[in-house]
Amino acid sequence: MKYIFVTGGVVSSLGKGLTAASLGTLLENRGLKVALQKFDPYLNVDPGTMSPFQHGEVYVLDDGAETDLDLGHYERFTSTKLTRLNTTTSGQVYQTVLNNEREGKYLGKTVQVIPHVTDEIKRRIHVLAEHSKADVIITEIGGTTGDIEGLPFLEAIREFALEAGVGNTCFIHVTYVPFIKAAGELKTKPTQQSVAKLREIGITPHIIVCRCEKPLDKELRQKISLFCNVPVEAVIEEKDVDHSIYEVPLMLQRERTDDLVCQLLRLDTPLPNMSHWQEIIRKLIAPQHRVRVGVVGKYIGLQDAYKSVYEAIIHGGVGNDCGVEIVQVDSEEIEKEGAERILQGLGGILVPGGFGERGIEGKIKAAKFARENKVPYLGLCLGMQIATIEFARNVLKLEKAHSTEFDPDTPHPVIALLDAQKKVTKKGGTMRLGAQPCQLVVGSQAGKLYGSFVVNERHRHRYEFNNHYREKFEKAGFVFSGTSPDGKLVEVIELADHPFFIASQFHPEFLSKPHQPHPLFKGFIAAAHQQIHKKPL
């Protein structure tokens, strides 16, 4: 078993996760089985209770683990299926160590960061190795080198490398080489300082990946090589991409990063065939068709809040050879200025998931605009509940119909709390989470898109459609095209007299990949194009 550790320096949000995922792509295409893992140094047990403004999107796995958005990159870029074994936080590590101490497992010893915390971190690498049976495990260390909370993780991987032996581990350090406009040149000093900090801890990187705005010239590479104690060929340029994050694997391949990793880890593998990846990039750069779709949300100011949604829309475009311009629409702006003015001219409207009352009325107006004007609509989780509330108010004339999440006293609770959720007091990890089966109706639009009648999709919610109103909705042309196998939970809804109006209680965006677009997103983009151009793709 071989191990790659990816660390970061200078600043956060450098793209360590994308670098790890892209390397995973290249190694997979060399015929290796790859597993990816993320260590997050924050003390939260998981990001499930964190605000999107603080943390960005919460990415949900099949087994219900609420994780960092980087795990979304891992799944989109590779064929690996992740579980809670692929994610670890400081909160989980300390929780386990303290539970062990309470249970007497340390036999009365003084519990310390070294060896007890670091041993628990190393144990989690070994458990994944045993479970995954992978050839290579890529472990990303979150945060920035020098952060206090990250030190136990860096110490743990230093110890792990020592125990694994020479030729079995590789350290990759992703760092920032800023372009100073006033001087008109790139500066290497932050990278030097970052690597020096890492070496103080006892880790010498084998490869340095340099995030930069401008290309690295030979002289700059030689300087980084000299001061950071790596060969010149191990100084990798990772320039800002021109079109899409899916260019990164090809960029790393051009820099021969995967060759270098295979040499360091003594892996004898064929060169990767990336022709399918090059075709994805071709469709992103020079698509045959183009369309504009609006995403109506409340966290629009933060790109990472809807990361998987945006990526799945792009995948839907790739699946149709169609370039997609995503128009980010703040639902509160619709409340102020009206849907007609803001949404006019869009090929399709998508309402993603979310929590809390702010911006809800704007989303309801967006759903009404899509329904009345026959604009293709795709609702995800909350987006399905929004479509239900809008239909109840404006078609069924159920005055003040709402979800009990936003109005506990509504006279028509068309969306209500799950029975299993009514006694829940803790916030973390207590929603309906993870992959669960959905039975699709034969002949429905959703059934045709999937080409299957039983699908497994990932959930993250507390509230459901209230079955007391089901008959009333059905009589008015509201189609329940997907339910749980026992028929009790509504999973997919669509409108009978609309070209494309589909919404799901689950989150289809979590299962979309660039080379395997999710059926709902692929169908949505095709419908949006037809809406504008009046002809099918």
Side-chain angles (χ1 to χ4, degrees):
M1 179 99 37
K2 306 293 184 178
Y3 303 90
I4 299 168
F5 297 103
V6 180
T7 57
V10 185
V11 293
S12 59
S13 301
L14 272 180
K16 296 189 299 298
L18 274 173
T19 302
S22 299
L23 182 58
T25 304
L26 294 172
L27 295 179
E28 259 197 1
N29 281 278
R30 282 176 172 261
L32 296 166
K33 186 178 180 186
V34 177
L36 292 107
Q37 182 179 42
K38 176 77 185 283
F39 286 161
D40 273 307
Y42 50 70
L43 283 172
N44 302 66
V45 173
D46 60 44
T49 58
M50 294 164 76
S51 162
F53 290 111
Q54 276 274 309
H55 184 266
E57 168 190 85
V58 174
Y59 187 80
V60 180
L61 306 181
D62 272 2
D63 65 358
E66 294 176 285
T67 71
D68 183 82
L69 59 83
D70 277 320
L71 276 82
H73 293 315
Y74 301 167
E75 286 200 329
R76 284 189 283 273
F77 277 68
T78 67
S79 62
T80 184
K81 273 278 185 186
L82 305 180
T83 71
R84 59 184 71 249
L85 296 179
N86 299 79
T87 176
T88 291
T89 67
S90 285
Q92 292 169 10
V93 170
Y94 283 110
Q95 191 175 57
T96 300
V97 169
L98 292 173
N99 286 341
N100 289 345
E101 185 273 331
R102 292 288 85 186
E103 292 168 17
K105 290 183 179 177
Y106 299 127
L107 305 176
K109 291 179 181 174
T110 303
V111 179
Q112 297 175 293
V113 172
I114 304 171
H116 300 99
V117 170
T118 52
D119 280 354
E120 175 58 24
I121 294 167
K122 288 187 289 181
R123 184 189 72 80
R124 288 168 180 253
I125 303 172
H126 285 300
V127 168
L128 178 62
E130 190 178 330
H131 178 79
S132 68
K133 302 287 189 276
D135 300 308
V136 181
I137 289 182
I138 303 174
T139 303
E140 176 195 348
I141 314 299
T144 308
T145 299
D147 293 347
I148 290 171
E149 62 265 32
L151 290 174
F153 289 97
L154 296 175
E155 170 60 21
I157 62 173
R158 183 196 69 78
E159 293 173 18
F160 191 97
L162 194 65
E163 294 160 13
V166 177
N168 292 320
T169 55
C170 169
F171 289 103
I172 298 177
H173 192 57
V174 183
T175 182
Y176 183 49
V177 180
F179 178 74
I180 307 301
K181 209 169 182 180
E185 59 183 355
L186 293 163
K187 292 293 183 182
T188 66
K189 195 63 75 178
T191 295
Q192 293 176 44
Q193 295 290 342
S194 174
V195 172
K197 194 78 182 167
L198 202 57
R199 289 167 71 183
E200 277 177 27
I201 295 162
I203 297 171
T204 300
H206 299 98
I207 298 170
I208 296 174
V209 175
C210 301
R211 283 299 316 278
C212 48
E213 295 173 56
K214 309 282 183 182
L216 296 179
D217 60 28
K218 186 179 177 183
E219 188 182 332
L220 226 67
R221 290 181 194 245
Q222 288 173 334
K223 189 175 181 181
I224 292 170
S225 166
L226 179 66
F227 284 99
C228 297
N229 199 34
V230 297
V232 173
E233 61 269 21
V235 178
I236 306 297
E237 175 188 292
E238 195 177 64
K239 202 164 73 72
D240 293 353
V241 291
D242 295 323
H243 299 98
S244 165
I245 57 172
Y246 300 111
E247 295 175 66
V248 178
L250 300 177
M251 184 189 296
L252 292 181
Q253 187 186 32
R254 283 195 298 272
E255 292 281 302
R256 302 191 64 186
T257 313
D258 52 324
D259 287 344
L260 195 56
V261 166
C262 288
Q263 287 171 28
L264 288 162
L265 296 177
R266 301 170 186 171
L267 291 165
D268 186 14
T269 62
L271 291 172
N273 179 1
M274 298 295 287
S275 57
H276 67 294
W277 212 262
Q278 287 162 344
E279 179 60 11
I280 290 168
I281 302 305
R282 197 279 301 161
K283 288 177 179 177
L284 288 167
I285 294 172
Q288 297 291 312
H289 315 280
R290 294 198 177 272
V291 73
R292 291 168 75 237
V293 300
V295 174
V296 180
K298 61 191 280 188
Y299 310 118
I300 289 299
L302 187 69
Q303 182 74 12
D304 283 349
Y306 300 118
K307 188 68 181 171
S308 291
V309 174
Y310 295 147
E311 293 306 313
I313 291 171
I314 299 300
H315 304 162
V318 169
N320 287 289
D321 204 349
C322 182
V324 184
E325 180 190 342
I326 299 172
V327 179
Q328 298 172 329
V329 180
D330 190 326
S331 57
E332 290 185 283
E333 288 300 308
I334 295 178
E335 290 176 358
K336 293 174 191 170
E337 302 193 28
E340 184 84 25
R341 184 176 177 280
I342 293 176
L343 302 177
Q344 194 69 42
L346 294 174
I349 295 166
L350 185 149
V351 176
F355 298 91
E357 193 179 356
R358 184 173 61 82
I360 290 297
E361 293 302 322
K363 293 181 182 182
I364 292 170
K365 286 180 180 178
K368 183 173 187 278
F369 177 85
R371 179 179 59 78
E372 291 182 341
N373 294 280
K374 307 295 185 190
V375 177
Y377 176 90
L378 182 60
L380 313 176
C381 195
L382 177 62
M384 189 207 90
Q385 298 176 1
I386 289 295
T388 303
I389 295 164
E390 189 280 320
F391 195 88
R393 288 183 185 178
N394 300 311
V395 178
L396 301 181
K397 305 301 179 187
L398 299 176
E399 198 177 336
K400 296 183 180 176
H402 222 314
S403 165
T404 54
E405 179 183 4
F406 312 121
D407 182 5
D409 302 318
T410 173
H412 295 290
V414 290
I415 303 293
L417 199 62
L418 278 163
D419 287 341
Q421 292 287 328
K422 287 178 180 174
K423 294 176 184 175
V424 170
T425 54
K426 290 185 178 178
K427 297 277 187 198
T430 55
M431 287 185 273
R432 185 180 172 208
L433 290 164
Q436 295 176 34
C438 167
Q439 184 89 38
L440 296 171
V441 172
V442 176
S444 67
Q445 203 166 5
K448 289 173 185 173
L449 289 171
Y450 275 100
S452 173
F453 300 115
V454 179
V455 295
N456 275 283
E457 293 280 4
R458 297 177 185 178
H459 295 71
R460 185 175 185 255
H461 62 100
R462 294 182 195 280
Y463 293 79
E464 297 274 1
F465 180 86
N466 187 342
N467 284 322
H468 293 302
Y469 292 89
R470 197 185 284 198
E471 193 179 332
K472 201 180 283 283
F473 273 80
E474 282 179 320
K475 284 179 180 174
F478 199 80
V479 180
F480 299 99
S481 56
T483 63
S484 55
D486 62 8
K488 291 180 180 177
L489 301 175
V490 172
E491 298 280 28
V492 185
I493 63 96
E494 52 190 74
L495 295 183
D497 60 346
H498 196 287
F500 189 101
F501 194 104
I502 298 179
S504 67
Q505 184 58 79
F506 47 76
H507 288 269
E509 68 270 24
F510 292 149
L511 293 181
S512 189
K513 295 173 185 277
H515 51 285
Q516 293 172 345
H518 192 283
L520 294 185
F521 283 90
K522 190 176 177 181
F524 173 62
I525 297 304
H529 180 273
Q530 188 164 352
Q531 163 75 12
I532 294 297
H533 300 282
K534 306 304 177 192
K535 60 181 179 180
L537 282 166

